[in-house]
Amino acid sequence: MSVAALGVIVVGVFFLALYLLHRYGDFGKQQPMVLFGTLLAWYLCFLIVFILPLDVSTTIYNQCKIYNALPPVPGSHSKTDQAQSNESILPTSSALKVCHEPWSYIPDGVLPVFWRVVYWTSQCLTWLLIPFMQSYARSGAFSRVGKIKTALIENGIYYGTYLLIFISLLIYVAAHPPKLSYQYTTIGITAANTWGLFLLVLLLGYGLVEIPRSYWLASCHGYLLAKTYFKAAKMATEKAEAEENLADAMEEVASAHESVRNMHDTTLRKCVDTILQKQDTSAARRCPVRPVVAYFPDNGRRSIHYPLRNTCIHMQRQSQVQWSILLEQAVHLEDVAKSQGGPLRQVVHSFPSAQHATPLRRFIYTPTIEWYWECVFRRFFYRLAFLVLGALSLAVVWSECTFFSSQPVLSLFAVLIQMAEKQYNYICIEMACFVSIFFLCVCVYSTVFQIRVFNYYYLVPHHQTDAYSLQFSGMLFCRLTPPLCLNFLGLIHMDSAISHKDRIQTSYTSIMGSMRLLSVISDGFYIYYPMLILLLCFATYFKLGSRCLNLLGIQQYIREDDLTSDLVDEGMELLRRERRKRQRAEEGENRKSV
């Protein structure tokens, strides 16, 4: 049964990663190297999250076997510190219990090899291969050799930083030489996890507040409609800018093509022809041609090729798709708002022909059922989800601030796992571990999927994410997941560096090595830095980040802000225009059919 459980998880996680990549990437247009690297990075990180609960239950079972194998301690317990430390290890004559093997038990020797392969593969991806593939995919060179050369040059500073860090670690090791050779590896793992924990706390502090709040706000129909108007106004501006940038790039390409048409330099003509293959012919017809000089150095050709291929065309297509989807959402929300007070308990759609629903969905999700869901049950469901997620967020914040306390145990997750461990309820242990770590991952990963760094990093669904953003997300996942799992093991006191108990470690912790090697990290940074989550949660609750971005000129949705109100009104007017356009288009089609 254990082999079957492990196989099901491995296969299921692969299809989960493949589904997400299909949702955000484009299998038909993006390079196979980009897709494979992103899929492998996501797959390995999701595997760690789903397999770790099985590692915890297997470790508790092995601890039970060791516990029963030790000789019983007769008599009463001593109250000395030594006796208290032995109390968790040595059983009394009446404390022996039968150790039932978990349904998902994984044989000894499997998990250490599994973790070693998964961890080191993900680290090679995030620190070496993905940065190189990012530069390769964004290169404006016309040949593979040119792209490789560009990638190596761009990553020279990146790899030089690694060299400086490595030299610093060598100096530290020379001053404090470790006793065992494997501790050199532990120092490197600690350095990587420290960097990941620094970023992890920032993302987790945002997600712990924003995810429950998003469900509460989603239960308010008026808020959703107003925010959709706000997004429509911003998207209209982005769409106009993308079309203008594409037109400028097309103008440069057309001018270059006109200049090299009669030249004898075949290499230059081939480069311009390659650029022309990337362009949108409908947009090219609208671009005027202005005369330019007939000499284009290699850097000039790349400067045209790079923005056309990687930025202008993609941003124009992305903004167009997002604009269409946003209009559909706004029209649907307005239809629901009109149907709430109507005599018929049905959602009446303004444009029934635009509904792309399968026959099975139309049969099950009828207009009456849609009305009851949108107008009655949706609000209660989202508010119930808010209560559940809010309780989990409070538990995480409390546990992050108190998990260093081993006597008494204050971490709520540690208390829950220890209660289930006393009964050897492996199903409860695995479910509690899975729900806890899954919630932590949702808070962190959803933030990664939502953040936007101008046009350099932005994950957009409906196959609109560019190659650079896909690879950057895979790089972030590989750097965030190991410290997240170590932080989770600390929350449930399965890490001896936190609990200070003499018990066997999980296979995952054994691969990571003992953080006690670096006392500054294990006794300082790993314990006290997660408390910063409390401050980040307060900052997120009062929207300090959004207010700062507003002051910098990057508009964010803040209901009491005057600029937000103006953008909402602008979005409402834009939607009215689009409605009139669609109505005239439908009336024209109806007249043609008649």
Side-chain angles (χ1 to χ4, degrees):
M1 186 65 180
S2 59
V3 178
L6 184 62
V8 169
I9 291 177
V10 169
V11 175
V13 170
F14 174 78
F15 283 106
L16 173 62
L18 188 65
Y19 166 75
L20 290 176
L21 183 60
H22 176 264
R23 175 175 172 80
Y24 287 90
D26 192 339
F27 289 169
K29 296 182 179 179
Q30 288 171 336
Q31 301 177 11
M33 177 186 66
V34 173
L35 298 173
F36 176 76
T38 306
L39 177 63
L40 183 60
W42 289 7
Y43 177 55
L44 294 177
C45 294
F46 295 163
L47 267 183
I48 296 176
V49 173
F50 279 84
I51 299 295
L52 191 62
L54 305 185
D55 192 3
V56 172
S57 63
T58 301
T59 302
I60 292 176
Y61 171 68
N62 292 332
Q63 181 66 48
C64 176
K65 291 192 298 183
I66 295 176
Y67 182 86
N68 284 344
L70 294 174
V73 179
S76 59
H77 298 293
S78 173
K79 294 187 179 181
T80 63
D81 294 339
Q82 181 67 29
Q84 288 179 356
S85 63
N86 292 337
E87 189 174 317
S88 62
I89 300 299
L90 300 178
T92 61
S93 57
S94 60
L96 295 177
K97 292 186 177 181
V98 178
C99 298
H100 298 285
E101 185 176 290
W103 70 278
S104 58
Y105 175 74
I106 300 176
D108 296 338
V110 174
L111 281 178
V113 175
F114 175 82
W115 289 132
R116 192 173 289 110
V117 171
V118 170
Y119 177 76
W120 288 112
T121 303
S122 64
Q123 293 307 298
C124 289
L125 279 173
T126 185
W127 296 107
L128 297 176
L129 298 180
I130 291 183
F132 177 83
M133 290 191 294
Q134 282 181 306
S135 300
Y136 183 91
R138 288 173 64 90
S139 174
F142 294 89
S143 63
R144 292 183 180 179
V145 176
K147 291 181 179 180
I148 293 175
K149 185 186 299 184
T150 303
L152 290 176
I153 294 174
E154 289 184 359
N155 286 277
I157 300 177
Y158 196 72
Y159 296 135
T161 305
Y162 293 161
L163 182 61
L164 290 177
I165 295 175
F166 180 72
I167 293 175
S168 302
L169 290 176
L170 286 181
I171 296 174
Y172 177 86
V173 170
H176 305 82
K179 299 178 180 179
L180 300 176
S181 59
Y182 74 87
Q183 293 178 347
Y184 290 97
T185 305
T186 302
I187 293 176
I189 294 175
T190 302
N193 288 338
T194 302
W195 188 97
L197 183 63
F198 178 81
L199 182 59
L200 172 68
V201 171
L202 299 179
L203 299 178
L204 186 60
Y206 175 83
L208 288 173
V209 175
E210 195 60 32
I211 289 179
R213 180 163 60 187
S214 65
Y215 276 86
W216 175 265
L217 295 176
S219 65
C220 305
H221 190 272
Y223 170 85
L224 287 180
L225 190 56
K227 191 171 184 179
T228 304
Y229 289 147
F230 175 82
K231 290 181 179 179
K234 290 189 63 177
M235 184 54 62
T237 304
E238 294 180 7
K239 180 171 172 288
E241 291 178 355
E243 292 176 350
E244 182 179 352
N245 292 334
L246 179 61
D248 292 340
M250 293 296 182
E251 182 179 347
E252 293 185 18
V253 173
S255 300
H257 177 64
E258 190 70 20
S259 300
V260 302
R261 177 179 296 177
N262 299 322
M263 291 182 60
H264 299 288
D265 189 351
T266 58
T267 303
L268 187 59
R269 285 207 308 271
K270 288 181 180 179
C271 291
V272 175
D273 291 339
T274 302
I275 298 175
L276 288 172
Q277 293 175 1
K278 308 289 184 180
Q279 72 177 2
D280 184 359
T281 55
S282 61
R285 296 192 190 100
R286 300 193 300 267
C287 297
V289 178
R290 53 185 173 86
V292 295
V293 295
Y295 173 68
F296 291 90
D298 184 64
N299 291 336
R301 297 195 298 269
R302 292 183 185 182
S303 65
I304 299 176
H305 188 205
Y306 167 72
L308 178 65
R309 183 171 63 89
N310 290 294
T311 304
C312 297
I313 294 178
H314 177 78
M315 291 304 301
Q316 192 274 338
R317 183 171 61 246
Q318 183 186 93
S319 61
Q320 185 64 44
V321 173
Q322 286 185 284
W323 173 254
S324 302
I325 295 174
L326 196 60
L327 289 180
E328 294 292 338
Q329 294 175 353
V331 170
H332 174 73
L333 290 173
E334 286 188 344
D335 293 340
V336 172
K338 293 178 182 178
S339 302
Q340 280 182 337
L344 297 177
R345 295 190 173 183
Q346 292 183 352
V347 176
V348 181
H349 295 283
S350 301
F351 305 101
S353 59
Q355 301 297 317
H356 305 288
T358 61
L360 180 61
R361 187 177 186 274
R362 287 197 298 267
F363 176 76
I364 298 176
Y365 197 59
T366 61
T368 302
I369 295 179
E370 183 180 7
W371 185 90
Y372 275 101
W373 164 249
E374 294 287 351
C375 303
V376 180
F377 298 114
R378 188 176 185 274
R379 175 181 299 179
F380 295 103
F381 174 80
Y382 274 76
R383 292 190 176 181
L384 178 62
F386 160 77
L387 294 176
V388 174
L389 295 174
L392 286 174
S393 294
L394 291 176
V396 170
V397 173
W398 171 264
S399 299
E400 290 284 0
C401 296
T402 60
F403 74 94
F404 60 89
S405 175
S406 57
Q407 287 295 334
V409 178
L410 299 179
S411 173
L412 300 180
F413 298 102
V415 171
L416 180 60
I417 296 300
Q418 290 178 6
M419 290 175 59
E421 183 180 358
K422 291 179 180 179
Q423 305 297 325
Y424 295 103
N425 189 344
Y426 298 110
I427 298 294
C428 180
I429 291 172
E430 292 174 1
M431 290 301 299
C433 289
F434 177 75
V435 171
S436 304
I437 195 172
F438 183 76
F439 178 71
L440 293 175
C441 291
V442 168
C443 292
V444 175
Y445 292 166
S446 64
T447 307
V448 174
F449 276 95
Q450 291 177 6
I451 59 177
R452 177 177 182 178
V453 184
F454 300 104
N455 291 326
Y456 294 100
Y457 173 75
Y458 187 29
L459 290 176
V460 187
H462 307 287
H463 321 292
Q464 297 303 312
T465 305
D466 63 339
Y468 183 86
S469 298
L470 286 175
Q471 292 174 322
F472 191 78
S473 66
M475 186 170 63
L476 280 180
F477 284 175
C478 291
R479 296 183 185 183
L480 291 171
T481 304
L484 184 145
C485 293
L486 281 179
N487 179 257
F488 167 73
L489 292 176
L491 291 180
I492 63 175
H493 287 190
M494 292 295 291
D495 188 353
S496 60
I498 302 298
S499 63
H500 304 289
K501 291 182 179 179
D502 187 11
R503 60 178 299 163
I504 63 174
Q505 299 295 298
T506 61
S507 299
Y508 185 81
T509 309
S510 65
I511 298 302
M512 292 294 168
S514 176
M515 298 306 165
R516 294 176 181 175
L517 181 63
L518 302 175
S519 58
V520 176
I521 301 297
S522 62
D523 299 333
F525 185 79
Y526 277 178
I527 291 179
Y528 297 107
Y529 180 70
M531 296 182 185
L532 186 62
I533 286 180
L534 187 60
L535 297 178
L536 293 172
C537 288
F538 277 111
T540 305
Y541 179 79
F542 291 105
K543 297 185 177 180
L544 298 183
S546 299
R547 297 180 189 277
C548 291
L549 290 176
N550 251 3
L551 293 177
L552 295 174
I554 304 174
Q555 290 82 11
Q556 302 293 310
Y557 184 78
I558 300 176
R559 282 183 284 186
E560 61 271 15
D561 186 65
D562 294 335
L563 182 58
T564 300
S565 301
D566 295 339
L567 289 175
V568 169
D569 295 337
E570 181 182 347
M572 189 183 304
E573 182 61 30
L574 288 172
L575 188 61
R576 289 175 183 171
R577 296 177 185 174
E578 291 295 328
R579 275 183 172 274
R580 289 195 291 267
K581 288 182 181 178
R582 290 192 178 187
Q583 288 174 355
R584 288 195 296 267
E586 284 196 353
E587 291 174 358
E589 291 180 359
N590 293 335
R591 285 195 296 267
K592 289 180 181 179
S593 61
V594 172

